[in-house]
Amino acid sequence: DMKIYPNPVVQDAILACNNLTDKNIHISIISMVGNIVYTKEVTVQQDAEQVTLPMEQLPSAVYIVQVKVGEQVFIERVERLP
C-alpha cells in the first residue's frame, strides 16, 4: 500500500510505504513529456516506512511518480505548485 502526500506539493512530497518492510523499491519522477527527472532505489526499513521525494527544485508542473516493487508498479500523478 502506497500513498504520496501532500498533493499538490510545494516543497517535498512524502511516499508512505506501508507493509513493504525490507522490500527494495525503485522510484522515478517523470515529467509529462517523458523525461526522468529523479530516480532512487531504496530498501524500506521497518522504522522508516516513508521516503522523501525532493520536488522543491523541480519546475511547477504535473509529474508522474512511478514506484516499482518487484513486478508491481504503482503510478500516481503529483502536481508541483510554485
Side-chain angles (χ1 to χ4, degrees):
D1 186 30
M2 290 183 234
K3 181 177 178 164
I4 298 172
Y5 64 91
N7 190 7
V9 60
V10 175
Q11 294 180 347
D12 294 338
I14 302 294
L15 171 65
C17 310
N18 299 324
N19 301 318
L20 292 176
T21 301
D22 297 328
K23 302 269 188 196
N24 291 326
I25 62 173
H26 185 269
I27 304 163
S28 299
I29 300 176
I30 306 164
S31 71
M32 293 306 285
V33 294
N35 295 325
I36 297 173
V37 296
Y38 175 82
T39 185
K40 183 175 186 175
E41 192 164 333
V42 298
T43 300
V44 178
Q45 302 298 321
Q46 184 173 3
D47 57 345
E49 292 185 328
Q50 295 183 342
V51 179
T52 300
L53 303 177
M55 299 189 71
E56 187 173 14
Q57 303 301 319
L58 298 177
S60 298
V62 175
Y63 295 90
I64 300 295
V65 176
Q66 176 181 283
V67 182
K68 293 182 182 178
V69 184
E71 296 297 317
Q72 294 182 315
V73 178
F74 167 81
I75 295 174
E76 187 167 333
R77 292 170 56 120
V78 176
E79 183 178 2
R80 162 76 169 93
L81 297 178

